Amino acid sequence: MKYRLSLFLLFCLLLVGILISLSVGRMSISLENVVATLLGNNTNEIENNVILILRLPRIFTALLVGAGLAIAGVTYQGVFKNPLVSPDLLGVSGGACIGASIAILLGLGAFSIQSFAFVGGIIAVTLTMLVPILMRRDSMIILVLAGIIVGGFMGASLGLIKYLADPETQLADIVYWSLGSLTKSNFKNLLAFSPIMILTAFVLFLLRWRINLLSLGEQQAKLIGVNIKMERNLMILCSTLLTASAVCLSGTIGWIGLVIPHLARLLIGDDNIKTLPLAALIGAIFLLLIDTLARNLYTEEIPLGILTGFIGAPFFAWVLVKQRMVK
């Protein structure tokens, strides 16, 4: 009952948040006119263009990215049996930043930058997955350490690219992209990357009860017939593709994949069957709120990564305190 009520309330909050986000901005539009535009009854073409061309694809992107990062966070934390794991554990965010930065250095367009980011993220995770194979040690600890190594290498490479970039034109784009932004959101980008995100999220949604089994530990999971290696790799693959696609659409946004799963568990418990859908809704609402604040707090748009850091860090501390009190 509590789970269904939470889903219903969060869904209502999501709808209200979408309407408010469509309404506020540099050009304020009344909620009545927003609803009229969505229903096709608004005769003001300027308001229609602002809502349908500028704000609506941006809101869809925020919802998709927020939900995707939260789902990936729940999956990673369950598979690795570590509540401090985030979706960029295996270096996908760092690799995506490198790919996007290279595209910016080459002077390519927005879609090419996102494509390079996706490829860079996949390459980084592939390198991470190769380390345990080369060491011939199929261990979760080795995999985590490999992610740290690859992430550190990607960070150093990004620093070199920033050093080589033209400070007048390229550097600002690289820094702004690496901090996260939905400024360039449009339906073309959504159509390119949303199918991957929706498909991988759907697979993880179907497998969410298997995350509970993997969370038990290898010995217990083997006793009840779980193919640990296959299922773990499938979940890591889907989470990686989900995260890489999200980074392509929004740049690097921290804290969502780390904090939101904890909040979902605080509301409903450790059962991933319930936690994953709840986290998806909370993640979508959270990023929608962050993006609305980012484009309205100041005359210039604030990068999303800055706001998620300022809000996410103390919020995570509060969640940890609440979890300790509950236990």
Side-chain angles (χ1 to χ4, degrees), residues 165-202:
D166 186 340
E168 298 295 329
T169 57
Q170 299 170 332
L171 183 59
D173 287 339
I174 293 174
V175 172
Y176 198 77
W177 198 92
S178 65
L179 288 175
S181 173
L182 298 179
T183 305
K184 298 179 181 179
S185 300
N186 55 55
F187 285 116
K188 178 184 177 181
N189 294 337
L190 274 174
L191 289 174
F193 293 101
S194 60
I196 300 174
M197 298 186 70
I198 293 171
L199 177 61
T200 52
F202 181 69

PDB file of all heavy atoms in Angstrom, residues 165-202:
ATOM      1  N   ALA A 165      43.400  22.801 -25.736  1.00  0.00           N
ATOM      2  CA  ALA A 165      42.253  23.452 -26.373  1.00  0.00           C
ATOM      3  C   ALA A 165      42.449  24.960 -26.480  1.00  0.00           C
ATOM      4  O   ALA A 165      43.140  25.582 -25.654  1.00  0.00           O
ATOM      5  CB  ALA A 165      40.987  23.159 -25.581  1.00  0.00           C
ATOM      6  N   ASP A 166      41.842  25.545 -27.484  1.00  0.00           N
ATOM      7  CA  ASP A 166      41.869  26.998 -27.677  1.00  0.00           C
ATOM      8  C   ASP A 166      41.042  27.655 -26.568  1.00  0.00           C
ATOM      9  O   ASP A 166      39.837  27.420 -26.471  1.00  0.00           O
ATOM     10  CB  ASP A 166      41.265  27.336 -29.032  1.00  0.00           C
ATOM     11  CG  ASP A 166      41.400  28.820 -29.376  1.00  0.00           C
ATOM     12  OD1 ASP A 166      41.605  29.627 -28.450  1.00  0.00           O
ATOM     13  OD2 ASP A 166      41.305  29.164 -30.563  1.00  0.00           O
ATOM     14  N   PRO A 167      41.673  28.475 -25.713  1.00  0.00           N
ATOM     15  CA  PRO A 167      40.933  29.078 -24.591  1.00  0.00           C
ATOM     16  C   PRO A 167      39.843  30.041 -25.018  1.00  0.00           C
ATOM     17  O   PRO A 167      38.923  30.330 -24.249  1.00  0.00           O
ATOM     18  CB  PRO A 167      42.034  29.808 -23.795  1.00  0.00           C
ATOM     19  CG  PRO A 167      43.137  30.030 -24.773  1.00  0.00           C
ATOM     20  CD  PRO A 167      43.088  28.872 -25.718  1.00  0.00           C
ATOM     21  N   GLU A 168      39.912  30.539 -26.240  1.00  0.00           N
ATOM     22  CA  GLU A 168      38.924  31.502 -26.710  1.00  0.00           C
ATOM     23  C   GLU A 168      37.651  30.838 -27.232  1.00  0.00           C
ATOM     24  O   GLU A 168      36.561  31.400 -27.126  1.00  0.00           O
ATOM     25  CB  GLU A 168      39.532  32.370 -27.828  1.00  0.00           C
ATOM     26  CG  GLU A 168      40.728  33.192 -27.401  1.00  0.00           C
ATOM     27  CD  GLU A 168      40.364  34.245 -26.357  1.00  0.00           C
ATOM     28  OE1 GLU A 168      39.219  34.730 -26.387  1.00  0.00           O
ATOM     29  OE2 GLU A 168      41.219  34.560 -25.517  1.00  0.00           O
ATOM     30  N   THR A 169      37.782  29.621 -27.764  1.00  0.00           N
ATOM     31  CA  THR A 169      36.620  28.982 -28.400  1.00  0.00           C
ATOM     32  C   THR A 169      36.305  27.603 -27.839  1.00  0.00           C
ATOM     33  O   THR A 169      35.177  27.309 -27.464  1.00  0.00           O
ATOM     34  CB  THR A 169      36.840  28.867 -29.919  1.00  0.00           C
ATOM     35  OG1 THR A 169      38.052  28.132 -30.158  1.00  0.00           O
ATOM     36  CG2 THR A 169      36.954  30.237 -30.555  1.00  0.00           C
ATOM     37  N   GLN A 170      37.307  26.737 -27.750  1.00  0.00           N
ATOM     38  CA  GLN A 170      37.056  25.334 -27.437  1.00  0.00           C
ATOM     39  C   GLN A 170      36.994  25.027 -25.944  1.00  0.00           C
ATOM     40  O   GLN A 170      36.193  24.197 -25.502  1.00  0.00           O
ATOM     41  CB  GLN A 170      38.146  24.469 -28.092  1.00  0.00           C
ATOM     42  CG  GLN A 170      38.173  24.586 -29.607  1.00  0.00           C
ATOM     43  CD  GLN A 170      39.398  23.930 -30.205  1.00  0.00           C
ATOM     44  OE1 GLN A 170      40.451  23.833 -29.569  1.00  0.00           O
ATOM     45  NE2 GLN A 170      39.275  23.474 -31.448  1.00  0.00           N
ATOM     46  N   LEU A 171      37.822  25.685 -25.157  1.00  0.00           N
ATOM     47  CA  LEU A 171      37.935  25.340 -23.737  1.00  0.00           C
ATOM     48  C   LEU A 171      36.604  25.527 -23.000  1.00  0.00           C
ATOM     49  O   LEU A 171      36.207  24.674 -22.197  1.00  0.00           O
ATOM     50  CB  LEU A 171      39.032  26.180 -23.075  1.00  0.00           C
ATOM     51  CG  LEU A 171      39.299  25.869 -21.594  1.00  0.00           C
ATOM     52  CD1 LEU A 171      39.701  24.420 -21.412  1.00  0.00           C
ATOM     53  CD2 LEU A 171      40.369  26.801 -21.041  1.00  0.00           C
ATOM     54  N   ALA A 172      35.933  26.640 -23.283  1.00  0.00           N
ATOM     55  CA  ALA A 172      34.663  26.901 -22.605  1.00  0.00           C
ATOM     56  C   ALA A 172      33.626  25.810 -22.907  1.00  0.00           C
ATOM     57  O   ALA A 172      32.902  25.362 -22.018  1.00  0.00           O
ATOM     58  CB  ALA A 172      34.119  28.269 -23.016  1.00  0.00           C
ATOM     59  N   ASP A 173      33.595  25.360 -24.165  1.00  0.00           N
ATOM     60  CA  ASP A 173      32.653  24.304 -24.546  1.00  0.00           C
ATOM     61  C   ASP A 173      32.977  22.993 -23.838  1.00  0.00           C
ATOM     62  O   ASP A 173      32.072  22.284 -23.375  1.00  0.00           O
ATOM     63  CB  ASP A 173      32.698  24.071 -26.061  1.00  0.00           C
ATOM     64  CG  ASP A 173      32.023  25.200 -26.827  1.00  0.00           C
ATOM     65  OD1 ASP A 173      31.208  25.912 -26.215  1.00  0.00           O
ATOM     66  OD2 ASP A 173      32.323  25.370 -28.020  1.00  0.00           O
ATOM     67  N   ILE A 174      34.262  22.665 -23.729  1.00  0.00           N
ATOM     68  CA  ILE A 174      34.672  21.425 -23.067  1.00  0.00           C
ATOM     69  C   ILE A 174      34.311  21.457 -21.586  1.00  0.00           C
ATOM     70  O   ILE A 174      33.739  20.503 -21.034  1.00  0.00           O
ATOM     71  CB  ILE A 174      36.187  21.189 -23.246  1.00  0.00           C
ATOM     72  CG1 ILE A 174      36.501  20.901 -24.715  1.00  0.00           C
ATOM     73  CG2 ILE A 174      36.670  20.041 -22.368  1.00  0.00           C
ATOM     74  CD1 ILE A 174      37.981  20.807 -25.019  1.00  0.00           C
ATOM     75  N   VAL A 175      34.628  22.575 -20.929  1.00  0.00           N
ATOM     76  CA  VAL A 175      34.337  22.699 -19.498  1.00  0.00           C
ATOM     77  C   VAL A 175      32.834  22.678 -19.250  1.00  0.00           C
ATOM     78  O   VAL A 175      32.344  21.983 -18.349  1.00  0.00           O
ATOM     79  CB  VAL A 175      34.953  23.996 -18.934  1.00  0.00           C
ATOM     80  CG1 VAL A 175      34.488  24.235 -17.500  1.00  0.00           C
ATOM     81  CG2 VAL A 175      36.480  23.918 -18.978  1.00  0.00           C
ATOM     82  N   TYR A 176      32.087  23.421 -20.064  1.00  0.00           N
ATOM     83  CA  TYR A 176      30.640  23.489 -19.867  1.00  0.00           C
ATOM     84  C   TYR A 176      30.001  22.126 -20.119  1.00  0.00           C
ATOM     85  O   TYR A 176      29.115  21.699 -19.375  1.00  0.00           O
ATOM     86  CB  TYR A 176      30.038  24.537 -20.814  1.00  0.00           C
ATOM     87  CG  TYR A 176      28.661  25.002 -20.406  1.00  0.00           C
ATOM     88  CD1 TYR A 176      28.502  25.901 -19.363  1.00  0.00           C
ATOM     89  CD2 TYR A 176      27.525  24.535 -21.053  1.00  0.00           C
ATOM     90  CE1 TYR A 176      27.250  26.339 -18.977  1.00  0.00           C
ATOM     91  CE2 TYR A 176      26.262  24.958 -20.676  1.00  0.00           C
ATOM     92  CZ  TYR A 176      26.132  25.868 -19.636  1.00  0.00           C
ATOM     93  OH  TYR A 176      24.890  26.273 -19.255  1.00  0.00           O
ATOM     94  N   TRP A 177      30.485  21.422 -21.144  1.00  0.00           N
ATOM     95  CA  TRP A 177      29.934  20.102 -21.449  1.00  0.00           C
ATOM     96  C   TRP A 177      30.241  19.117 -20.330  1.00  0.00           C
ATOM     97  O   TRP A 177      29.404  18.297 -19.959  1.00  0.00           O
ATOM     98  CB  TRP A 177      30.521  19.601 -22.768  1.00  0.00           C
ATOM     99  CG  TRP A 177      29.727  18.481 -23.382  1.00  0.00           C
ATOM    100  CD1 TRP A 177      28.726  18.588 -24.288  1.00  0.00           C
ATOM    101  CD2 TRP A 177      29.876  17.086 -23.133  1.00  0.00           C
ATOM    102  NE1 TRP A 177      28.236  17.341 -24.620  1.00  0.00           N
ATOM    103  CE2 TRP A 177      28.928  16.403 -23.919  1.00  0.00           C
ATOM    104  CE3 TRP A 177      30.725  16.329 -22.312  1.00  0.00           C
ATOM    105  CZ2 TRP A 177      28.799  15.021 -23.914  1.00  0.00           C
ATOM    106  CZ3 TRP A 177      30.598  14.956 -22.306  1.00  0.00           C
ATOM    107  CH2 TRP A 177      29.646  14.315 -23.103  1.00  0.00           C
ATOM    108  N   SER A 178      31.456  19.202 -19.771  1.00  0.00           N
ATOM    109  CA  SER A 178      31.853  18.261 -18.722  1.00  0.00           C
ATOM    110  C   SER A 178      31.120  18.527 -17.408  1.00  0.00           C
ATOM    111  O   SER A 178      31.092  17.661 -16.530  1.00  0.00           O
ATOM    112  CB  SER A 178      33.369  18.315 -18.489  1.00  0.00           C
ATOM    113  OG  SER A 178      33.749  19.591 -17.989  1.00  0.00           O
ATOM    114  N   LEU A 179      30.507  19.719 -17.256  1.00  0.00           N
ATOM    115  CA  LEU A 179      29.746  20.043 -16.044  1.00  0.00           C
ATOM    116  C   LEU A 179      28.257  19.732 -16.200  1.00  0.00           C
ATOM    117  O   LEU A 179      27.508  19.823 -15.243  1.00  0.00           O
ATOM    118  CB  LEU A 179      29.923  21.528 -15.696  1.00  0.00           C
ATOM    119  CG  LEU A 179      31.285  21.920 -15.146  1.00  0.00           C
ATOM    120  CD1 LEU A 179      31.373  23.433 -14.966  1.00  0.00           C
ATOM    121  CD2 LEU A 179      31.576  21.220 -13.824  1.00  0.00           C
ATOM    122  N   GLY A 180      27.826  19.399 -17.405  1.00  0.00           N
ATOM    123  CA  GLY A 180      26.439  19.010 -17.620  1.00  0.00           C
ATOM    124  C   GLY A 180      25.549  20.169 -18.019  1.00  0.00           C
ATOM    125  O   GLY A 180      25.571  21.239 -17.403  1.00  0.00           O
ATOM    126  N   SER A 181      24.753  19.966 -19.065  1.00  0.00           N
ATOM    127  CA  SER A 181      23.831  20.994 -19.530  1.00  0.00           C
ATOM    128  C   SER A 181      22.803  20.361 -20.467  1.00  0.00           C
ATOM    129  O   SER A 181      23.096  19.393 -21.171  1.00  0.00           O
ATOM    130  CB  SER A 181      24.581  22.107 -20.269  1.00  0.00           C
ATOM    131  OG  SER A 181      23.673  23.013 -20.866  1.00  0.00           O
ATOM    132  N   LEU A 182      21.599  20.919 -20.456  1.00  0.00           N
ATOM    133  CA  LEU A 182      20.545  20.481 -21.372  1.00  0.00           C
ATOM    134  C   LEU A 182      20.219  21.562 -22.392  1.00  0.00           C
ATOM    135  O   LEU A 182      19.168  21.535 -23.029  1.00  0.00           O
ATOM    136  CB  LEU A 182      19.277  20.107 -20.590  1.00  0.00           C
ATOM    137  CG  LEU A 182      19.406  18.955 -19.596  1.00  0.00           C
ATOM    138  CD1 LEU A 182      18.081  18.717 -18.877  1.00  0.00           C
ATOM    139  CD2 LEU A 182      19.856  17.684 -20.288  1.00  0.00           C
ATOM    140  N   THR A 183      21.137  22.508 -22.558  1.00  0.00           N
ATOM    141  CA  THR A 183      20.899  23.650 -23.435  1.00  0.00           C
ATOM    142  C   THR A 183      20.611  23.230 -24.871  1.00  0.00           C
ATOM    143  O   THR A 183      19.760  23.812 -25.547  1.00  0.00           O
ATOM    144  CB  THR A 183      22.123  24.589 -23.414  1.00  0.00           C
ATOM    145  OG1 THR A 183      22.409  24.958 -22.074  1.00  0.00           O
ATOM    146  CG2 THR A 183      21.851  25.835 -24.224  1.00  0.00           C
ATOM    147  N   LYS A 184      21.313  22.218 -25.349  1.00  0.00           N
ATOM    148  CA  LYS A 184      21.190  21.824 -26.750  1.00  0.00           C
ATOM    149  C   LYS A 184      20.221  20.665 -26.956  1.00  0.00           C
ATOM    150  O   LYS A 184      20.288  19.952 -27.959  1.00  0.00           O
ATOM    151  CB  LYS A 184      22.573  21.464 -27.300  1.00  0.00           C
ATOM    152  CG  LYS A 184      23.538  22.653 -27.273  1.00  0.00           C
ATOM    153  CD  LYS A 184      24.908  22.284 -27.798  1.00  0.00           C
ATOM    154  CE  LYS A 184      25.847  23.486 -27.728  1.00  0.00           C
ATOM    155  NZ  LYS A 184      27.214  23.150 -28.212  1.00  0.00           N
ATOM    156  N   SER A 185      19.312  20.481 -26.014  1.00  0.00           N
ATOM    157  CA  SER A 185      18.332  19.401 -26.140  1.00  0.00           C
ATOM    158  C   SER A 185      17.365  19.688 -27.287  1.00  0.00           C
ATOM    159  O   SER A 185      16.885  20.808 -27.449  1.00  0.00           O
ATOM    160  CB  SER A 185      17.537  19.257 -24.840  1.00  0.00           C
ATOM    161  OG  SER A 185      18.383  18.955 -23.756  1.00  0.00           O
ATOM    162  N   ASN A 186      17.106  18.678 -28.083  1.00  0.00           N
ATOM    163  CA  ASN A 186      16.111  18.784 -29.154  1.00  0.00           C
ATOM    164  C   ASN A 186      15.581  17.387 -29.472  1.00  0.00           C
ATOM    165  O   ASN A 186      16.116  16.378 -29.005  1.00  0.00           O
ATOM    166  CB  ASN A 186      16.691  19.458 -30.402  1.00  0.00           C
ATOM    167  CG  ASN A 186      17.948  18.770 -30.894  1.00  0.00           C
ATOM    168  OD1 ASN A 186      17.957  17.577 -31.156  1.00  0.00           O
ATOM    169  ND2 ASN A 186      19.035  19.543 -31.027  1.00  0.00           N
ATOM    170  N   PHE A 187      14.528  17.333 -30.267  1.00  0.00           N
ATOM    171  CA  PHE A 187      13.905  16.046 -30.560  1.00  0.00           C
ATOM    172  C   PHE A 187      14.800  15.148 -31.412  1.00  0.00           C
ATOM    173  O   PHE A 187      14.683  13.918 -31.357  1.00  0.00           O
ATOM    174  CB  PHE A 187      12.558  16.265 -31.245  1.00  0.00           C
ATOM    175  CG  PHE A 187      11.477  16.723 -30.300  1.00  0.00           C
ATOM    176  CD1 PHE A 187      10.874  17.974 -30.442  1.00  0.00           C
ATOM    177  CD2 PHE A 187      11.057  15.911 -29.264  1.00  0.00           C
ATOM    178  CE1 PHE A 187       9.888  18.392 -29.575  1.00  0.00           C
ATOM    179  CE2 PHE A 187      10.065  16.325 -28.385  1.00  0.00           C
ATOM    180  CZ  PHE A 187       9.478  17.564 -28.537  1.00  0.00           C
ATOM    181  N   LYS A 188      15.696  15.748 -32.213  1.00  0.00           N
ATOM    182  CA  LYS A 188      16.611  14.946 -33.022  1.00  0.00           C
ATOM    183  C   LYS A 188      17.523  14.112 -32.129  1.00  0.00           C
ATOM    184  O   LYS A 188      17.709  12.899 -32.354  1.00  0.00           O
ATOM    185  CB  LYS A 188      17.443  15.856 -33.936  1.00  0.00           C
ATOM    186  CG  LYS A 188      18.461  15.087 -34.780  1.00  0.00           C
ATOM    187  CD  LYS A 188      19.318  16.042 -35.593  1.00  0.00           C
ATOM    188  CE  LYS A 188      20.388  15.277 -36.378  1.00  0.00           C
ATOM    189  NZ  LYS A 188      21.253  16.181 -37.159  1.00  0.00           N
ATOM    190  N   ASN A 189      18.108  14.752 -31.119  1.00  0.00           N
ATOM    191  CA  ASN A 189      18.977  14.026 -30.194  1.00  0.00           C
ATOM    192  C   ASN A 189      18.199  12.993 -29.391  1.00  0.00           C
ATOM    193  O   ASN A 189      18.695  11.889 -29.125  1.00  0.00           O
ATOM    194  CB  ASN A 189      19.671  15.005 -29.242  1.00  0.00           C
ATOM    195  CG  ASN A 189      20.635  15.925 -29.968  1.00  0.00           C
ATOM    196  OD1 ASN A 189      21.123  15.606 -31.048  1.00  0.00           O
ATOM    197  ND2 ASN A 189      20.896  17.089 -29.390  1.00  0.00           N
ATOM    198  N   LEU A 190      16.988  13.352 -28.994  1.00  0.00           N
ATOM    199  CA  LEU A 190      16.155  12.410 -28.251  1.00  0.00           C
ATOM    200  C   LEU A 190      15.861  11.164 -29.083  1.00  0.00           C
ATOM    201  O   LEU A 190      15.940  10.039 -28.584  1.00  0.00           O
ATOM    202  CB  LEU A 190      14.841  13.076 -27.838  1.00  0.00           C
ATOM    203  CG  LEU A 190      14.836  13.872 -26.534  1.00  0.00           C
ATOM    204  CD1 LEU A 190      13.512  14.585 -26.361  1.00  0.00           C
ATOM    205  CD2 LEU A 190      15.107  12.961 -25.346  1.00  0.00           C
ATOM    206  N   LEU A 191      15.525  11.362 -30.352  1.00  0.00           N
ATOM    207  CA  LEU A 191      15.222  10.219 -31.218  1.00  0.00           C
ATOM    208  C   LEU A 191      16.454   9.344 -31.450  1.00  0.00           C
ATOM    209  O   LEU A 191      16.327   8.130 -31.667  1.00  0.00           O
ATOM    210  CB  LEU A 191      14.675  10.719 -32.561  1.00  0.00           C
ATOM    211  CG  LEU A 191      13.267  11.321 -32.531  1.00  0.00           C
ATOM    212  CD1 LEU A 191      12.905  11.896 -33.888  1.00  0.00           C
ATOM    213  CD2 LEU A 191      12.241  10.261 -32.117  1.00  0.00           C
ATOM    214  N   ALA A 192      17.627   9.946 -31.378  1.00  0.00           N
ATOM    215  CA  ALA A 192      18.854   9.188 -31.620  1.00  0.00           C
ATOM    216  C   ALA A 192      19.239   8.310 -30.428  1.00  0.00           C
ATOM    217  O   ALA A 192      19.676   7.170 -30.605  1.00  0.00           O
ATOM    218  CB  ALA A 192      19.999  10.147 -31.951  1.00  0.00           C
ATOM    219  N   PHE A 193      19.076   8.836 -29.212  1.00  0.00           N
ATOM    220  CA  PHE A 193      19.585   8.123 -28.036  1.00  0.00           C
ATOM    221  C   PHE A 193      18.506   7.537 -27.125  1.00  0.00           C
ATOM    222  O   PHE A 193      18.793   6.628 -26.344  1.00  0.00           O
ATOM    223  CB  PHE A 193      20.483   9.064 -27.207  1.00  0.00           C
ATOM    224  CG  PHE A 193      21.752   9.454 -27.918  1.00  0.00           C
ATOM    225  CD1 PHE A 193      21.860  10.691 -28.540  1.00  0.00           C
ATOM    226  CD2 PHE A 193      22.818   8.585 -27.973  1.00  0.00           C
ATOM    227  CE1 PHE A 193      23.019  11.050 -29.201  1.00  0.00           C
ATOM    228  CE2 PHE A 193      23.980   8.928 -28.634  1.00  0.00           C
ATOM    229  CZ  PHE A 193      24.091  10.165 -29.254  1.00  0.00           C
ATOM    230  N   SER A 194      17.278   8.048 -27.216  1.00  0.00           N
ATOM    231  CA  SER A 194      16.228   7.535 -26.328  1.00  0.00           C
ATOM    232  C   SER A 194      15.888   6.059 -26.553  1.00  0.00           C
ATOM    233  O   SER A 194      15.586   5.352 -25.591  1.00  0.00           O
ATOM    234  CB  SER A 194      14.967   8.397 -26.449  1.00  0.00           C
ATOM    235  OG  SER A 194      14.462   8.400 -27.768  1.00  0.00           O
ATOM    236  N   PRO A 195      15.932   5.538 -27.814  1.00  0.00           N
ATOM    237  CA  PRO A 195      15.638   4.100 -27.957  1.00  0.00           C
ATOM    238  C   PRO A 195      16.579   3.208 -27.157  1.00  0.00           C
ATOM    239  O   PRO A 195      16.145   2.213 -26.559  1.00  0.00           O
ATOM    240  CB  PRO A 195      15.805   3.871 -29.472  1.00  0.00           C
ATOM    241  CG  PRO A 195      15.516   5.198 -30.085  1.00  0.00           C
ATOM    242  CD  PRO A 195      16.075   6.197 -29.125  1.00  0.00           C
ATOM    243  N   ILE A 196      17.882   3.551 -27.139  1.00  0.00           N
ATOM    244  CA  ILE A 196      18.852   2.766 -26.362  1.00  0.00           C
ATOM    245  C   ILE A 196      18.512   2.858 -24.878  1.00  0.00           C
ATOM    246  O   ILE A 196      18.521   1.842 -24.161  1.00  0.00           O
ATOM    247  CB  ILE A 196      20.281   3.269 -26.608  1.00  0.00           C
ATOM    248  CG1 ILE A 196      20.644   3.163 -28.088  1.00  0.00           C
ATOM    249  CG2 ILE A 196      21.293   2.502 -25.753  1.00  0.00           C
ATOM    250  CD1 ILE A 196      21.978   3.773 -28.443  1.00  0.00           C
ATOM    251  N   MET A 197      18.199   4.061 -24.402  1.00  0.00           N
ATOM    252  CA  MET A 197      17.908   4.258 -22.989  1.00  0.00           C
ATOM    253  C   MET A 197      16.630   3.525 -22.586  1.00  0.00           C
ATOM    254  O   MET A 197      16.576   2.870 -21.534  1.00  0.00           O
ATOM    255  CB  MET A 197      17.793   5.757 -22.681  1.00  0.00           C
ATOM    256  CG  MET A 197      19.060   6.548 -22.929  1.00  0.00           C
ATOM    257  SD  MET A 197      18.940   8.270 -22.394  1.00  0.00           S
ATOM    258  CE  MET A 197      18.907   8.071 -20.610  1.00  0.00           C
ATOM    259  N   ILE A 198      15.599   3.631 -23.406  1.00  0.00           N
ATOM    260  CA  ILE A 198      14.324   2.994 -23.076  1.00  0.00           C
ATOM    261  C   ILE A 198      14.470   1.470 -23.083  1.00  0.00           C
ATOM    262  O   ILE A 198      13.963   0.775 -22.190  1.00  0.00           O
ATOM    263  CB  ILE A 198      13.227   3.444 -24.054  1.00  0.00           C
ATOM    264  CG1 ILE A 198      12.930   4.940 -23.850  1.00  0.00           C
ATOM    265  CG2 ILE A 198      11.955   2.631 -23.865  1.00  0.00           C
ATOM    266  CD1 ILE A 198      12.022   5.539 -24.903  1.00  0.00           C
ATOM    267  N   LEU A 199      15.192   0.935 -24.078  1.00  0.00           N
ATOM    268  CA  LEU A 199      15.368  -0.517 -24.177  1.00  0.00           C
ATOM    269  C   LEU A 199      16.164  -1.061 -22.991  1.00  0.00           C
ATOM    270  O   LEU A 199      15.759  -2.053 -22.364  1.00  0.00           O
ATOM    271  CB  LEU A 199      16.070  -0.867 -25.488  1.00  0.00           C
ATOM    272  CG  LEU A 199      16.377  -2.357 -25.703  1.00  0.00           C
ATOM    273  CD1 LEU A 199      15.097  -3.169 -25.721  1.00  0.00           C
ATOM    274  CD2 LEU A 199      17.163  -2.558 -26.998  1.00  0.00           C
ATOM    275  N   THR A 200      17.299  -0.422 -22.678  1.00  0.00           N
ATOM    276  CA  THR A 200      18.127  -0.912 -21.565  1.00  0.00           C
ATOM    277  C   THR A 200      17.419  -0.734 -20.227  1.00  0.00           C
ATOM    278  O   THR A 200      17.522  -1.602 -19.355  1.00  0.00           O
ATOM    279  CB  THR A 200      19.479  -0.185 -21.541  1.00  0.00           C
ATOM    280  OG1 THR A 200      19.269   1.252 -21.562  1.00  0.00           O
ATOM    281  CG2 THR A 200      20.324  -0.562 -22.744  1.00  0.00           C
ATOM    282  N   ALA A 201      16.694   0.375 -20.064  1.00  0.00           N
ATOM    283  CA  ALA A 201      15.939   0.579 -18.821  1.00  0.00           C
ATOM    284  C   ALA A 201      14.849  -0.477 -18.680  1.00  0.00           C
ATOM    285  O   ALA A 201      14.587  -0.982 -17.573  1.00  0.00           O
ATOM    286  CB  ALA A 201      15.324   1.980 -18.804  1.00  0.00           C
ATOM    287  N   PHE A 202      14.216  -0.838 -19.793  1.00  0.00           N
ATOM    288  CA  PHE A 202      13.167  -1.859 -19.760  1.00  0.00           C
ATOM    289  C   PHE A 202      13.744  -3.227 -19.385  1.00  0.00           C
ATOM    290  O   PHE A 202      13.141  -3.970 -18.593  1.00  0.00           O
ATOM    291  CB  PHE A 202      12.475  -1.936 -21.122  1.00  0.00           C
ATOM    292  CG  PHE A 202      11.352  -2.938 -21.188  1.00  0.00           C
ATOM    293  CD1 PHE A 202      10.179  -2.727 -20.484  1.00  0.00           C
ATOM    294  CD2 PHE A 202      11.485  -4.093 -21.952  1.00  0.00           C
ATOM    295  CE1 PHE A 202       9.140  -3.651 -20.535  1.00  0.00           C
ATOM    296  CE2 PHE A 202      10.457  -5.018 -22.011  1.00  0.00           C
ATOM    297  CZ  PHE A 202       9.279  -4.796 -21.294  1.00  0.00           C
TER     298      PHE A 202
END
